[in-house]
Amino acid sequence: LDLFTIGSKLRKVYNKSIDRNRFLTFCKAILKSMESSETKIWYVSVALKAQHSVHFIQQVKWILLEACRSLRYLKPGMPKDEPFINTYLTTFVILTDYTLWKMTSKGG
């Protein structure tokens, strides 16, 4: 729930020209939470709570849209862009492929 709350706040104040590194850090935190063995920490666990499910979907759509917009301007051969590209592509895969979510393999 903490990452979800942070994402909601970031979404409200987000300015893509200023918050590039902040958005990268947020995506990395999502990925790290998904690697945790504790279910309460998983970013996607918020989707299981009825009161947050619609906002969770909206937030995931925003994350994927912003990552996609950012990818348009990144160059794969540039070393400074590689962390952004790797993080955004991994974020796409993790958030869109539910079979990679540990809660689906554990039975939720």
Side-chain angles (χ1 to χ4, degrees):
L1 191 58
D2 291 338
L3 266 177
F4 178 72
T5 305
I6 291 168
S8 296
K9 291 177 183 177
L10 178 61
R11 187 175 172 203
K12 289 177 186 175
V13 300
Y14 183 72
N15 182 338
K16 64 182 168 187
S17 61
I18 297 171
D19 295 326
R20 181 179 180 198
N21 288 325
R22 188 182 299 181
F23 185 71
L24 176 69
T25 304
F26 177 63
C27 289
K28 285 182 178 181
I30 289 172
L31 297 175
K32 188 171 181 166
S33 78
M34 296 298 288
E35 293 173 0
S36 174
S37 60
E38 190 170 335
T39 58
K40 292 179 182 179
I41 296 176
W42 297 337
Y43 175 71
V44 294
S45 67
V46 175
L48 300 175
K49 298 177 182 172
Q51 71 266 26
H52 298 301
S53 60
V54 172
H55 294 294
F56 171 79
I57 292 168
Q58 290 172 342
Q59 190 174 103
V60 167
K61 285 173 58 177
W62 173 76
I63 292 167
L64 296 176
L65 180 64
E66 288 305 319
C68 186
R69 286 179 180 162
S70 297
L71 280 171
R72 283 194 292 180
Y73 301 106
L74 298 172
K75 295 178 177 53
M78 300 294 291
K80 68 178 179 103
D81 288 346
E82 286 179 17
F84 292 93
I85 293 170
N86 290 335
T87 301
Y88 295 155
L89 291 177
T90 306
T91 302
F92 277 124
V93 171
I94 293 295
L95 291 179
T96 58
D97 187 359
Y98 73 91
T99 61
L100 298 174
W101 299 356
K102 290 182 181 179
M103 66 188 203
T104 59
S105 63
K106 286 188 174 184

